[in-house]
């Protein structure tokens, strides 16, 4: 008989982890670089996998480690969350660090059964017993369950015309109560020495707001509003009145809440007096936010309620009778934002021709071309893209859509054209947006045997990122031309004013002289920099004087700052200095240096034994 549990565990182990190229595409260049440093410095701990759910802790700038949760999907990531406040595009450095450790096959991972498997073994009475027992110590669980049930959409057969829609109205009371519970948890006082600081999880608040999204996706704006309005009420009343001074990050949720309320309002069949009443409520909320200096909020929802779909000029544009929107032609960010909201509403409601007319008039070129692909009007999408796209990030969106539609030649054509939109190396915006497109095209073209295209894309990716991963990827497609290409790449690297991976690339090729020259005496990399430590190990025989200066500087930066948790790292640096002294035959100088350090730090009871231990090595 086959052991099913063993089979499941074996299949889980056999699943691919994740490629570094995939991780790079999920984050900005800065987040990827900083996440790699975190991973190299050992900041990631307690890596645990339950089926497709990966969790870990990451040490950061706060006293408490950040909690990271990632849902895997095949060789990629379905979604990821971190308890840090990062919200500037792509995943944060903590998520990147966890993914990089996960990608490293040498990283040990604790494996446990997925929760679904654990619960599947229980009958209903036992499950109820467990929940009731938990609520004795966690009464907030009841509130959460009530909110979950209140916002649920019952499953219906897919052939039903109303599939995915809920027939009964959502009860807003459990939603309001859950919002208040979560807000209270964010500012619960901890132990007296911790002070008064946020302790709840902002991700839970975000997930509560997103309860409205499934309703919006099926065009049910009325029920979406019944979820969003009580959350907004709790946010404005409870947070502003009691928590503003202790939580500077929560206000970022107001922008999401306002956008979703705008979508819901445009989907809802509200009477004129209902629209006016809700707009008046949102205006009152917005005035309260602005009293606290918060600009993000409900502006777009207010304008959506005030204008609706009633503007005759807008109606003409959506009917294909107008050539430009908005009519003012000015730089009105709010109207541009509202136009993007209108497009999402039109798509959710299946009003595709009106969508195309508005997108064309608003010059939303990516949205317009993407909808044409969904409507299987690919030649029109290609023609529009070639005529209208100006940036690489526009091209990558359409190229991915074409690939999903199995239009591979067209996807390659658009992606290659997008590479030409990157501009020169001084164009920072175009250059940074070229990297995701170039990496995507490199991997895609290489996977379907288009080696020349893959090489071209790989060169563009490195030209704009100057990363070790992109440098190494070029060799895969360079073939017999690698030696010539490698020389050009190193010349490009040497002349670049900024290159985060410069030292790592030199080390990977054994170019110790170049690496030492690149660092010079500017030891500003940080004592935790694993790359600098590797360079010291590689250079102590050929550049002993330089290694001594570097190692002593790095060790002193830790010891003089009294960073007791990193004293062992300081000792590692001093070991590099000892090796360099030995190469020079200056053991007496090393012993004198060590004696001076021991005397200077004699009162540091954690450090002194570590320094004295160096005498016998």
């Amino acid at each position: 008989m086959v052991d099913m549990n063993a089979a499941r565990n074996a299949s889980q182990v056999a699943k691919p982890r994740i490629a570094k190229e995939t991780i790079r595409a999920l984050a900005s260049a800065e987040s990827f670089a900083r996440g790699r440093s975190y991973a190299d410095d050992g900041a990631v701990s307690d890596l645990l996998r339950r089926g497709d759910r990966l969790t870990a802790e990451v040490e950061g700038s706060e006293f408490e480690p950040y909690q990271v949760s990632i849902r895997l999907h095949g060789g990629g990531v379905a979604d990821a969350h971190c308890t840090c406040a990062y919200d500037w595009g792509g995943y944060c450095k903590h998520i990147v660090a966890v993914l990089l450790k996960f990608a490293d096959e040498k990283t040990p991972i604790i494996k446990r059964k997925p929760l679904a498997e654990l619960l599947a073994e229980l009958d209903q009475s036992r499950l109820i017993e467990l929940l009731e027992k938990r609520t004795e110590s966690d009464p907030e669980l009841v509130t959460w369950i009530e909110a979950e049930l209140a916002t649920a959409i019952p499953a219906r057969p897919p052939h039903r015309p109303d599939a995915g829609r809920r027939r009964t109205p959502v009860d807003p009371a459990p939603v309001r109560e859950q919002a208040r519970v979560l807000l209270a948890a964010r500012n619960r006082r901890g132990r007296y020495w911790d002070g008064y600081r946020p302790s709840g999880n902002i991700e839970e608040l975000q997930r509560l707001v997103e309860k409205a999204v499934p309703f919006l996706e099926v065009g049910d704006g009325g029920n979406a509003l019944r979820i969003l309005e009580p959350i907004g009420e709790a946010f404005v009343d409870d947070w502003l009145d009691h928590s503003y001074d202790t939580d500077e990050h929560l206000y970022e949720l107001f922008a999401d809440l306002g956008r979703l309320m705008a979508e819901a309002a445009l989907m809802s069949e509200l009477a004129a007096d209902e629209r006016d009443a809700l707009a008046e409520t949102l205006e009152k909320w917005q005035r309260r936010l602005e009293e606290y200096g918060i600009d993000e909020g409900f502006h777009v929802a207010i304008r959506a309620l005030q204008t609706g779909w009633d503007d005759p000029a807008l109606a003409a544009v959506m009917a294909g009778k107008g050539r430009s929107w908005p009519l003012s032609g000015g730089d009105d960010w709010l109207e541009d934002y509202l136009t993007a909201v209108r497009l999402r509403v039109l798509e959710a409601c299946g009003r595709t021709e009106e969508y195309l007319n508005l997108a064309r008039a608003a010059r939303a070129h990516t949205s317009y071309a993407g909808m044409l692909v969904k409507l299987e009007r690919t030649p029109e999408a290609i023609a529009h893209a070639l005529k209208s796209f100006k940036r690489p990030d526009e091209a990558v969106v359409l190229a991915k859509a074409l690939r999903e539609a199995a239009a591979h030649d067209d996807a390659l054509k658009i992606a290659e054209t997008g590479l030409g939109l990157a501009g020169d190396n001084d164009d920072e915006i175009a250059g940074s947006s070229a990297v995701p497109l170039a990496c995507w095209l490199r991997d895609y073209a290489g996977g379907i045997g288009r080696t020349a295209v893959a090489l071209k894309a790989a060169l563009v990716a490195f030209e704009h990122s100057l990363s070790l991963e992109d440098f190494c990827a070029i060799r895969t497609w360079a073939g017999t031309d690698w030696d010539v290409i490698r020389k050009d790449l190193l010349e490009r690297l040497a002349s670049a004013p900024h290159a985060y991976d410069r030292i790592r690339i030199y080390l990977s090729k054994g170019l110790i002289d170049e690496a030492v020259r690149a660092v010079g005496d500017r030891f500003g990399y940080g004592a935790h920099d694993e790359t600098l430590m590797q360079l010291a190990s590689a250079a102590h025989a050929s550049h002993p004087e330089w290694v001594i200066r570097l190692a002593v500087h790095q060790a002193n930066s830790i010891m003089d700052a009294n960073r007791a948790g990193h004293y062992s790292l300081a000792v590692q640096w001093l070991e590099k200095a000892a090796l360099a002294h030995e190469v020079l035959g200056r053991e007496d100088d090393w012993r004198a240096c060590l004696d001076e350090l021991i005397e200077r730090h004699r009162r540091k009871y954690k450090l002194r034994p570590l320094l004295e231990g160096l005498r016998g090595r």
Side-chain angles (χ1 to χ4, degrees), residues 353-365:
E353 284 305 314
E354 291 171 295
Y355 179 106
L356 289 172
N357 291 333
L358 179 57
R360 182 175 56 245
R363 296 168 296 283
H365 301 303

Side-chain angles (χ1 to χ4, degrees), residues 126-145:
R126 177 58 177 150
L127 184 57
I128 292 173
E129 179 186 347
L130 277 178
L131 288 172
E132 289 180 335
K133 183 176 181 180
R134 179 62 187 176
T135 57
E136 293 175 3
S137 60
D138 183 11
E140 295 172 2
L141 179 60
V142 177
T143 308
W144 176 82
I145 292 174

Side-chain angles (χ1 to χ4, degrees), residues 89-328:
Y91 288 140
C92 69
K93 58 191 176 185
H94 310 108
I95 293 174
V96 169
V98 173
L99 288 172
L100 287 172
K101 294 298 290 184
F102 178 64
D104 185 353
E105 296 292 339
K106 294 178 292 185
T107 301
I109 298 177
I110 304 168
K111 295 184 175 63
R112 296 284 187 270
K113 277 186 178 183
L115 181 60
E117 287 187 25
L118 291 174
L119 298 180
E121 300 170 0
L122 306 178
D123 59 27
Q124 184 178 18
S125 61
R126 177 58 177 150
L127 184 57
I128 292 173
E129 179 186 347
L130 277 178
L131 288 172
E132 289 180 335
K133 183 176 181 180
R134 179 62 187 176
T135 57
E136 293 175 3
S137 60
D138 183 11
E140 295 172 2
L141 179 60
V142 177
T143 308
W144 176 82
I145 292 174
E146 287 179 338
E148 288 289 310
L149 295 176
T151 56
I153 299 179
R156 289 198 178 98
H159 63 273
R160 289 274 297 272
D162 59 349
R165 292 183 67 91
R166 175 170 167 158
R167 295 186 177 185
T168 57
V170 168
D171 181 2
V175 179
R176 182 182 296 105
E177 182 61 24
Q178 174 67 356
R180 287 175 173 164
V181 165
L182 292 173
L183 286 165
R186 280 193 63 76
N187 291 281
R188 188 172 295 129
R189 186 181 293 275
R191 295 175 301 227
Y192 70 90
W193 58 81
D194 286 339
Y196 198 81
R197 61 184 177 82
S199 60
N201 187 349
I202 198 171
E203 299 295 341
E204 289 295 328
L205 288 163
Q206 182 74 49
R207 280 192 279 271
L208 184 62
V209 172
E210 291 173 353
K211 290 291 183 185
V213 172
F215 294 93
L216 294 172
E217 289 175 342
V218 296
D220 188 354
N223 272 324
L225 277 179
R226 292 185 185 95
I227 295 171
L228 297 168
E229 192 172 354
I231 296 175
E233 179 184 347
F235 275 20
V236 173
D237 291 341
D238 291 31
W239 184 67
L240 289 180
D241 287 345
H242 307 295
S243 312
Y244 173 77
D245 291 337
T246 63
D247 189 353
E248 70 275 21
H249 300 302
L250 184 62
Y251 75 87
E252 296 167 1
L253 283 179
F254 283 111
D256 290 338
L257 188 61
R259 174 181 58 79
L260 293 175
M261 291 191 78
E263 291 186 31
L266 290 173
M267 286 181 187
S268 303
E269 298 179 358
L270 296 175
D273 58 339
E274 292 175 317
R275 284 171 49 184
D276 293 342
L278 182 53
E280 185 177 343
T281 297
L282 297 188
E283 286 174 337
K284 179 180 68 175
W285 291 354
Q286 186 62 44
R287 285 194 296 270
R288 292 198 61 196
L289 292 179
E290 290 172 356
E291 289 173 1
Y292 287 85
I294 302 172
D295 294 329
E296 296 88 349
F298 303 101
H299 293 293
V300 68
I302 293 168
R303 184 171 291 190
L305 286 162
Q306 292 172 340
T307 60
W309 302 98
D310 301 333
D311 188 335
L314 175 63
V317 164
M318 292 194 300
K321 299 176 182 178
R323 301 185 61 181
S324 179
W325 183 262
L327 297 181
S328 62

Side-chain angles (χ1 to χ4, degrees), residues 586-599:
R586 289 163 40 187
E587 288 86 348
D588 290 342
D589 291 346
W590 164 242
R591 283 190 288 270
C593 174
L594 184 57
D595 288 342
E596 189 275 329
L597 289 173
I598 292 172
E599 174 61 22

